[in-house]
Amino acid sequence: MVKTKWMTASIFLAIVSLNNGVIAEDIVFQEPKPDSVVEESEITQPLYTSTADEVQPQNQSQADEVQPQQNQSQANQSQAVQQQNQNQAQQLYQLKGCNACHGIDAKSPSQPLYPKLAGQNQEYIIAQMQDFKTGARNNGLSAVMRGSLSPIKHDDEIKTIAEWLASLTVEVEITETAKGAKLYKSKNCHACHGDKANNPILSYFPKLAGQNYKYAIAQMKDIKRGKRKNGSSVVMKGIMSKVSDDEIIIIAKWLESIEKKE
Ligand code: HEC
Ligand code: HEC
């Protein structure tokens, strides 16, 4: 599974590299080594202590008790069950304390360097959470996130939360003439992250539209300098060598601005 992903990513990079004039052979693909050593200076205390253990999520569907009487009520019921599952997933997100840092709506994080999660790809979220857990992702404030995973007792809980987060789709509006939009295209970012920055080509690649710009800047710089090397980060590294730190800021500000605000 992982190997297949790596091969897909490698083949894809070769294509992107041809377009971009990067010599594909220059890029060495290495499986990131799980690195559990976190520098002390990087360790920050989680801001929030979860009370998750004291509260039990209610997974028992109440709808099971209701008997459908006709087709219309069956349709209403399945809608109600769907709504209830969504509510339970949102509840789980709160019970596990995720809202304390990422916001109750998953798009109003408590700190500029914390990411928005609303609308993010489910598979990408799951992969990142595994990488925080194993220590494969250890750049930036990863230690904060790693410490916050302790209330998670089962992989199923991650899946449920990730599914809910992915369902919170974020609409975007692109102005082609914006400086950031032009850079995003000329640097070939769209080749992986999609022309709208919310439609990446692979499910385990991240959506970027609306992301906190300070968080995005930090991640781009870390990928560029090889500090973030988990998952498929390496496929992006070659491109980043052609993006200056000033350009990173322009792109990141534009990415944050393209989320449609109701
Ligand atoms: C104490 C604050 C805190 C809590 C609580 C927290 N996180 Fe995070 N989370 C972070 C920080 C900080 C990062 C970014 C780490 C970095 O600098 O790379 C992050 C990153 C992430 C990412 C990666 C996002 C991306 O775009 O790559 C996911 C997914 C995530 N968190 C999910 C969760 C979930 C689900 C929960 C609840 C179980 C949770 N977080 C609880 C602080 C927190
Ligand atoms: C060859 C494909 C590819 C290209 C081209 C590419 N990226 Fe990425 N990018 C990725 C992948 C894959 C990740 C996630 C790595 C992982 O953790 O698995 C990523 C991660 C990111 C992140 C961090 C997202 C988060 O939520 O943590 C940002 C920001 C980003 N890319 C911006 C850009 C920008 C801007 C460009 C153009 C200058 C670009 N990328 C070009 C593949 C690419």
Side-chain angles (χ1 to χ4, degrees):
M1 182 68 174
V2 172
K3 281 259 151 36
T4 324
K5 284 184 180 180
W6 272 85
M7 278 171 63
T8 322
S10 308
I11 293 163
F12 188 76
L13 179 70
I15 298 164
V16 172
S17 301
L18 285 175
N19 284 340
N20 213 30
V22 178
I23 301 159
E25 287 87 328
D26 283 355
I27 298 158
V28 185
F29 288 96
Q30 285 177 329
E31 289 279 357
K33 294 184 197 75
D35 178 4
S36 56
V37 183
V38 180
E39 282 173 33
E40 259 186 56
S41 61
E42 285 176 12
I43 298 176
T44 318
Q45 284 302 313
L47 302 174
Y48 177 85
T49 319
S50 172
T51 51
D53 293 339
E54 297 153 26
V55 196
Q56 286 302 317
Q58 298 149 11
N59 282 329
Q60 189 54 51
S61 168
Q62 286 160 11
D64 288 347
E65 295 160 19
V66 186
Q67 288 303 318
Q69 276 153 21
Q70 44 169 290
N71 284 347
Q72 186 53 44
S73 83
Q74 249 171 4
N76 288 346
Q77 193 199 22
S78 79
Q79 238 178 21
V81 169
Q82 214 179 353
Q83 185 59 46
Q84 195 173 31
N85 287 344
Q86 287 245 332
N87 292 346
Q88 279 172 0
Q90 185 173 14
Q91 215 177 17
L92 192 61
Y93 170 84
Q94 292 174 35
L95 285 169
K96 300 295 172 180
C98 317
N99 57 314
C101 294
H102 295 287
I104 193 141
D105 57 358
K107 56 177 178 181
S108 43
S110 60
Q111 301 288 331
L113 276 171
Y114 293 3
K116 296 183 189 176
L117 305 173
Q120 191 52 277
N121 267 342
Q122 183 181 359
E123 234 185 284
Y124 171 77
I125 294 173
I126 294 171
Q128 295 304 309
M129 292 188 61
Q130 291 301 340
D131 285 353
F132 286 123
K133 198 163 137 188
T134 61
R137 178 167 169 182
N138 60 2
N139 67 303
L141 298 175
S142 293
V144 177
M145 182 52 213
R146 193 178 176 190
S148 308
L149 280 171
S150 52
I152 298 279
K153 305 293 179 214
H154 306 287
D155 285 352
D156 273 3
E157 294 170 336
I158 293 185
K159 192 172 165 273
T160 304
I161 293 174
E163 196 172 1
W164 172 68
L165 290 170
S167 75
L168 308 171
T169 46
V170 170
E171 263 194 85
V172 298
E173 208 160 26
I174 307 275
T175 316
E176 301 279 352
T177 51
K179 206 171 166 194
K182 286 183 181 164
L183 273 172
Y184 179 80
K185 210 157 195 182
S186 67
K187 301 290 178 182
N188 251 333
C189 314
H190 66 291
C192 290
H193 295 286
D195 58 352
K196 296 195 161 177
N198 74 345
N199 50 343
I201 53 151
L202 293 169
S203 57
Y204 53 94
F205 281 14
K207 297 183 183 180
L208 307 174
Q211 190 52 275
N212 257 350
Y213 87 93
K214 283 196 177 164
Y215 168 78
I217 290 170
Q219 296 303 315
M220 284 190 258
K221 287 185 174 174
D222 281 355
I223 291 174
K224 182 175 173 178
R225 304 197 170 117
K227 282 189 179 174
R228 175 169 168 184
K229 49 191 183 309
N230 67 303
S232 306
S233 309
V234 72
V235 303
M236 180 171 141
K237 193 169 181 251
I239 273 104
M240 292 317 287
S241 67
K242 300 195 177 311
V243 186
S244 73
D245 284 2
D246 286 346
E247 289 170 333
I248 284 179
I249 295 170
I250 296 167
I251 297 175
K253 283 193 172 164
W254 172 74
L255 284 171
E256 187 180 72
S257 75
I258 61 179
E259 183 185 344
K260 239 184 181 175
K261 306 267 189 302
E262 297 94 308

